[in-house]
Amino acid sequence: MNEKALKTLEYNKIKDKLSELAGTSFGRDHCQQLLPTSDIDKIRELQKQTTDALSRILRKGSLSFSGIHDIRPSLMRLKVGSSLSAVELLHISSDLDAVLRIKAFGGYTGKEGEEQTEDSLTEFFAGLEPLSSLNREIKRCILSEEEIADDASPSLKSVRRSIRNSNDRIHSELSQILNSAKTKLQENIITMRNGRYCLPVRSEYKNSFPGMIHDQSSTGSTLFIEPMSVVRLNNELKELALKEQEEIEKVLAELSNLAAEHTDALAYDFNTLSELDFIFARASLSRLMKGSEPVFNENGIINIKKGRHPLINEKKVVPIDVMLGKDFSMLIITGPNTGGKTVTLKTVGLLTLMGQAGLHIPAFDGSELAVFEEVYADIGDEQSIEQSLSTFSSHMTNIVSILDKAEEQSLVLFDELGAGTDPTEGAALAMSILSYLHKRGIRTMATTHYSELKIYALSTDGVNNASCEFDVETLRPTYRLLIGIPGKSNAFAISMKLGLPDYIIADAKERIGKQDRSFEDLISNLEENRVTIEKEQEEISRYKEEIEQLKKSLKKKNESLDTNRDRILREARENAASILQEAKEYADGSIKKYNKWLQEGGNIKDMEQERNSLREKINKSESSSDKNLNKPKNKAVIKDLKVGDLVHVISLGLDGTVKTLPNAKGDLFVQMGILNSQVNLKDLERLDEEVITAPNFHKTQSGKIKMSKSNSIHPEINLIGKTVDEALFELDKYLDDAYLAHLPQVTVIHGRGTGALKNAIHKHLKKVKYVKSFRIGGFGEGDHGVTIVEFQ
């Protein structure tokens, strides 16, 4: 790719963002060297690596590349037989620690039965060699950059033991001198000068204190003298220090030789870590930009879905849809200034460069990009003071170069083509340039204000118009790209909104040619039709959502009907079985009595009484059955149904209150506790409202209230087996009735179960104003299966 396009499209800023996400200096070098390629196989390989790395990050979290050092100079020294310093060996150890950690992240810990993730990065992780034996040996011998372990070698350990012994003898000898010559010493301490143990002697006693003078204080009052009795011991200590250094060098040489055996593996590990750091930096950038892997083709087709410019704040950038290369090979974008035309060009160009460099693009999944050999861009103010070129001349110089180099597999981007000169000549030049590129089949995008280019796009096959939407009411661009619709200048509309007199605008319109006015009117009509179509599409989408919700509601209602039907049939079978069992038991008892009476001679009076009892039971059962069969159904009727009427919803088995009047289809909303549902009149039964009377209430002009509830309200309610919604609805009505009946307290039976019903009831009771208190039942009251409610 040419450097000018990379600079114009700000590709280098993307590399800088990528470099910031790399964990090592050499990973950042990889990022800075990243350039787009036109090899589609290489592009797909890089994209696959980025996708797989992102997938691993999302599954396992970020991968750290801390603690990795550049060991390439050390490896070069090992190859020529040099020994490494302790610092260099520790850097190798640190790299091997990172290898072990990163290999484990990749799923290669060496454990049996370990689940492996097979992707394009598998080979990288599998090829890493932790070289555990070398790493352990380095750590055993080297404790820090300045300290070698005593156990690094037997000789080193022996030398250091001798050094400690010599130190002990020297300190012992000097301590005796300190005790015997305190008056001659400036201070009662042992110090070192030039690596030898000395004592601080007063200058006036230097002749009476045998030894070697190594230093004196700044004032000259103190001389640092090595007593003659420890000279030999100090000499031995010096020799042992030299031997210690020799042993340390031997240890470092042995470790270097051991590392030299693995230079190839170490070099491979380092290169692999560098590559993985680079790959995971690309994945981190994709995660940061909410990017996706584009689909590449060699047919020159671009289809960017909701693409965003990666260098614009994601909270401010407006996603755009861009198509090029399938139905048309050239796109001419028009619209007002600062409307987003240039950003559109840069977005297409930059996303193309990013994709061909193996980077994900900030766009929706399924976005498609073409592989181009070159991307050329003439964008921005190209005025050159140094070369004495005007804006137009500078642009034209760049355009001449582009026309000379562009091939069929190129992408060409022009911003304000033909601007900076006479509009008539500029438009003609722009049309000729675009026509030349179009004949050669070169994918081209251009922005312009010239109406001639809009007409050219409308009248030429393979060329399409696009515009950046502008809201005339707010005088602000929306930054939406509308393909297939040429942009309107909006100059008159904007001027009118800003307060320019109508007569000036009318005069300006008269000065425009009839053809130009017709063209602007055509664009206005297209814009109005587009807005209308968009509103209709939004309405259709809303209708689709409502239909989908209705389908779900109907499905739920049908499921509820099936459930209630099964429950009713099950209860009916159980009741029938219970009645049969009771009848059988009663009949068996009666037969036994008759047999007994016959055997004992019979008691006519008892037999007659038993027969009457049996007849009464049969009559009672028949009466109850007839009563249930002949029970009238209070069907709700449209003509007399009012808001607030009490009804029973048959399909749900719940009582509720009418919230809305039925529509033409007979559908209305019924409030059942906290459930507000739409039902049909056919699914409702009217409930008779209870007449409430009381001794302390009397008839008034506004109506009649009676309170006789205390005779019919039971002091307890059983909610076991009901759902929370059903239970709360019945409880709410029951509490109202009980409170109006002046009951001091009531018992709510909810059972033990999971506690969900009890918790819901307690939560509801807290909200009821006339409830004074409530508690769990005590011993003999039902324990935790009931709640005792006391009214105010």
Side-chain angles (χ1 to χ4, degrees):
M1 293 292 170
N2 63 89
E3 283 293 330
K4 183 171 180 58
L6 298 178
K7 180 181 178 182
T8 301
L9 297 172
E10 300 178 290
Y11 175 76
N12 291 332
K13 291 184 179 180
I14 297 296
K15 291 198 298 184
D16 292 339
K17 291 173 70 74
L18 180 64
S19 299
E20 292 173 1
L21 298 171
T24 62
S25 59
F26 32 87
R28 287 188 283 274
D29 291 340
H30 274 297
C31 296
Q32 288 297 330
Q33 295 167 8
L34 179 63
L35 290 174
T37 177
S38 57
D39 184 346
I40 192 168
D41 294 328
K42 182 64 176 177
I43 293 171
R44 287 170 176 165
E45 178 187 352
L46 293 172
Q47 288 287 348
K48 185 69 167 60
Q49 290 174 355
T50 305
T51 299
D52 292 340
L54 178 61
S55 176
R56 287 176 181 262
I57 288 175
L58 295 176
R59 289 200 317 270
K60 300 182 179 181
S62 299
L63 177 59
S64 173
F65 288 88
S66 61
I68 302 176
H69 302 85
D70 189 353
I71 60 173
R72 288 174 293 184
S74 300
L75 296 180
M76 293 296 294
R77 292 180 59 200
L78 287 176
K79 288 182 179 180
V80 297
S82 299
S83 294
L84 302 182
S85 65
V87 173
E88 290 176 302
L89 289 168
L90 284 176
H91 285 175
I92 290 176
S93 175
S94 180
D95 280 15
L96 293 177
D97 286 341
V99 167
L100 185 63
R101 183 181 70 250
I102 292 170
K103 190 177 181 73
F105 178 89
Y108 290 88
T109 60
K111 296 179 181 178
E112 292 185 5
E114 183 179 53
E115 184 179 352
Q116 305 293 344
T117 302
E118 296 292 335
D119 56 26
S120 62
L121 305 182
T122 299
E123 186 177 348
F124 289 98
F125 289 109
L128 290 172
E129 290 291 341
L131 301 176
S132 300
S133 59
L134 172 62
N135 194 12
R136 283 195 299 270
E137 186 65 14
I138 293 175
K139 288 182 177 180
R140 184 186 71 81
C141 296
I142 305 176
L143 301 180
S144 69
E145 294 181 359
E146 294 84 18
E147 185 179 3
I148 306 297
D150 291 350
D151 295 331
S153 73
S155 300
L156 181 60
K157 187 173 186 179
S158 175
V159 169
R160 286 185 171 171
R161 188 185 303 113
S162 299
I163 289 174
R164 285 192 294 271
N165 292 335
S166 296
N167 277 322
D168 291 341
R169 292 200 303 273
I170 291 172
H171 277 82
S172 177
E173 182 68 27
L174 291 176
S175 295
Q176 291 179 8
I177 297 173
L178 281 174
N179 293 329
S180 61
K182 290 183 179 180
T183 58
K184 298 179 180 181
L185 301 178
Q186 191 75 32
E187 293 182 80
N188 195 27
I189 60 170
I190 299 172
T191 184
M192 291 195 77
R193 288 294 185 274
N194 301 323
R196 301 178 76 87
Y197 287 101
C198 302
L199 294 175
V201 181
R202 293 179 179 179
S203 58
E204 59 265 29
Y205 295 108
K206 64 178 180 180
N207 294 326
S208 61
F209 198 94
M212 298 176 61
I213 299 174
H214 287 280
D215 199 2
Q216 69 176 6
S217 65
S218 58
T219 60
S221 60
T222 303
L223 298 176
F224 296 95
I225 300 175
E226 177 185 2
M228 292 301 296
S229 58
V230 297
V231 170
R232 182 182 59 80
L233 293 175
N234 270 330
N235 290 339
E236 289 179 1
L237 189 61
K238 198 71 173 177
E239 291 175 2
L240 289 172
L242 294 173
K243 286 184 179 180
E244 180 189 26
Q245 190 59 38
E246 289 177 5
E247 292 301 325
I248 289 174
E249 291 177 358
K250 288 180 181 179
V251 170
L252 295 178
E254 289 177 2
L255 291 175
S256 298
N257 291 334
L258 186 61
E261 298 175 4
H262 303 286
T263 51
D264 291 340
L266 289 169
Y268 178 83
D269 283 350
F270 176 80
N271 292 331
T272 302
L273 292 179
S274 303
E275 189 67 25
L276 284 173
D277 186 19
F278 174 46
I279 293 171
F280 276 85
R282 303 202 308 261
S284 298
L285 181 64
S286 173
R287 186 181 185 186
L288 183 67
M289 297 189 307
K290 298 180 178 63
S292 65
E293 179 183 351
V295 179
F296 276 90
N297 66 81
E298 294 180 296
N299 303 320
I301 297 174
I302 295 176
N303 184 12
I304 298 173
K305 303 175 182 178
K306 302 300 177 187
R308 309 179 305 278
H309 195 289
L311 299 177
I312 300 178
N313 189 320
E314 64 176 335
K315 295 180 180 179
K316 297 180 180 179
V317 66
V318 177
I320 58 172
D321 296 319
V322 184
M323 292 173 287
L324 181 70
K326 187 175 182 180
D327 299 323
F328 48 89
S329 62
M330 182 174 290
L331 190 64
I332 297 176
I333 306 172
T334 51
N337 289 327
T338 71
K341 301 190 302 297
T342 303
V343 172
T344 299
L345 288 185
K346 286 191 172 184
T347 299
V348 174
L350 186 54
L351 296 194
T352 297
L353 295 177
M354 288 174 62
Q356 292 187 212
L359 301 175
H360 283 181
I361 62 173
F364 278 10
D365 287 338
S367 293
E368 197 169 359
L369 292 176
V371 178
F372 294 106
E373 294 288 341
E374 277 288 355
V375 175
Y376 297 101
D378 180 57
I379 299 174
D381 188 359
E382 298 289 337
Q383 186 171 3
S384 174
I385 298 176
E386 293 180 357
Q387 298 179 15
S388 301
L389 294 177
S390 66
T391 299
F392 176 77
S393 300
S394 184
H395 274 295
M396 193 51 61
T397 301
N398 195 22
I399 291 171
V400 169
S401 176
I402 292 174
L403 295 178
D404 182 53
K405 297 176 181 177
E407 300 290 343
E408 186 176 351
Q409 295 301 320
S410 299
L411 174 65
V412 178
L413 307 172
F414 290 127
D415 186 28
E416 300 293 353
L417 182 61
T421 187
D422 177 75
T424 304
E425 294 181 357
L429 273 174
M431 232 184 309
S432 298
I433 291 168
L434 293 178
S435 178
Y436 171 76
L437 292 172
H438 181 53
K439 289 177 182 178
R440 295 182 60 190
I442 297 174
R443 302 296 186 267
T444 306
M445 291 179 65
T447 67
T448 184
H449 286 287
Y450 294 141
S451 296
E452 292 87 345
L453 294 185
K454 303 175 191 178
I455 298 172
Y456 169 75
L458 288 171
S459 59
T460 307
D461 292 335
V463 182
N464 204 352
N465 270 305
S467 60
C468 291
E469 190 180 48
F470 187 85
D471 189 342
V472 179
E473 295 299 322
T474 61
L475 298 181
R476 291 179 180 273
T478 65
Y479 301 106
R480 290 178 58 202
L481 183 68
L482 308 174
I483 293 181
I485 300 175
K488 193 173 182 293
S489 66
N490 295 306
F492 294 151
I494 293 172
S495 301
M496 184 180 296
K497 292 287 288 185
L498 293 175
L500 190 68
D502 293 344
Y503 57 85
I504 293 180
I505 294 175
D507 182 64
K509 288 181 178 180
E510 291 297 326
R511 296 177 183 275
I512 297 179
K514 183 177 180 181
Q515 183 177 356
D516 291 334
R517 286 201 303 272
S518 299
F519 183 69
E520 289 297 321
D521 291 341
L522 173 63
I523 293 176
S524 297
N525 292 335
L526 286 173
E527 179 67 13
E528 291 174 3
N529 292 336
R530 180 191 64 79
V531 172
T532 303
I533 290 170
E534 283 187 354
K535 289 181 179 178
E536 290 176 352
Q537 287 178 338
E538 289 177 1
E539 192 172 355
I540 290 170
S541 299
R542 188 169 64 253
Y543 286 151
K544 285 183 177 179
E545 290 179 4
E546 290 178 1
I547 291 170
E548 191 64 29
Q549 290 177 356
L550 289 173
K551 285 174 63 179
K552 291 179 180 178
S553 176
L554 180 60
K555 182 180 178 182
K556 186 177 180 181
K557 188 180 294 184
N558 289 336
E559 291 174 352
S560 177
L561 285 172
D562 293 340
T563 303
N564 285 321
R565 181 191 63 193
D566 295 341
R567 177 177 58 80
I568 292 169
L569 290 174
R570 183 176 67 253
E571 291 176 354
R573 293 191 190 99
E574 291 174 353
N575 290 336
S578 176
I579 292 170
L580 287 174
Q581 182 65 27
E582 183 182 358
K584 182 177 180 299
E585 291 175 355
Y586 199 91
D588 289 343
S590 297
I591 291 170
K592 286 180 181 179
K593 290 179 182 178
Y594 277 105
N595 289 334
K596 181 180 178 182
W597 289 329
L598 289 173
Q599 291 175 1
E600 295 177 353
N603 187 328
I604 300 301
K605 184 178 179 180
D606 291 341
M607 292 173 68
E608 184 64 23
Q609 186 177 351
E610 179 67 20
R611 187 182 69 80
N612 290 335
S613 176
L614 183 60
R615 172 57 59 190
E616 288 177 3
K617 189 168 186 66
I618 293 172
N619 291 338
K620 184 178 180 181
S621 297
E622 289 177 349
S623 175
S624 176
S625 177
D626 291 341
K627 185 178 179 181
N628 289 334
L629 288 172
N630 296 327
K631 183 179 179 181
K633 301 294 183 181
N634 295 324
K635 286 287 184 179
V637 188
I638 294 177
K639 63 182 180 181
D640 65 351
L641 193 64
K642 302 184 294 297
V643 174
D645 286 354
L646 295 177
V647 293
H648 177 74
V649 182
I650 300 172
S651 60
L652 301 178
L654 297 175
D655 297 338
T657 305
V658 175
K659 301 300 290 184
T660 62
L661 292 176
N663 58 20
K665 296 181 180 179
D667 295 328
L668 68 157
F669 281 92
V670 176
Q671 184 74 40
M672 295 162 282
I674 63 172
L675 178 65
N676 187 22
S677 179
Q678 184 180 12
V679 297
N680 193 273
L681 285 171
K682 298 178 182 178
D683 195 26
L684 296 180
E685 291 179 353
R686 184 188 294 279
L687 295 179
D688 293 330
E689 297 188 14
E690 299 177 359
V691 179
I692 304 174
T693 61
N696 59 337
F697 280 73
H698 57 275
K699 185 175 180 182
T700 65
Q701 292 181 354
S702 59
K704 179 176 64 178
I705 302 177
K706 298 180 180 180
M707 286 292 293
S708 61
K709 286 283 184 181
S710 57
N711 296 327
S712 59
I713 294 297
H714 201 271
E716 65 180 27
I717 180 172
N718 190 347
L719 302 177
I720 295 176
K722 299 184 182 299
T723 65
V724 171
D725 292 339
E726 293 172 347
L728 292 180
F729 178 79
E730 292 191 20
L731 176 63
D732 201 44
K733 185 175 182 302
Y734 171 75
L735 291 175
D736 289 342
D737 293 341
Y739 179 68
L740 291 173
H742 297 290
L743 294 182
Q745 70 176 34
V746 294
T747 301
V748 180
I749 304 173
H750 46 65
R752 299 173 185 270
T754 62
L757 182 57
K758 179 188 72 174
N759 294 335
I761 289 172
H762 286 186
K763 187 175 181 181
H764 181 71
L765 289 173
K766 291 179 181 178
K767 301 177 182 178
V768 181
K769 295 182 179 179
Y770 52 78
V771 171
K772 181 179 180 182
S773 63
F774 61 91
R775 60 178 175 82
I776 295 295
F779 180 78
E781 293 178 320
D783 294 333
H784 288 275
V786 304
T787 295
I788 308 299
V789 182
E790 185 178 358
F791 296 110
Q792 293 181 352

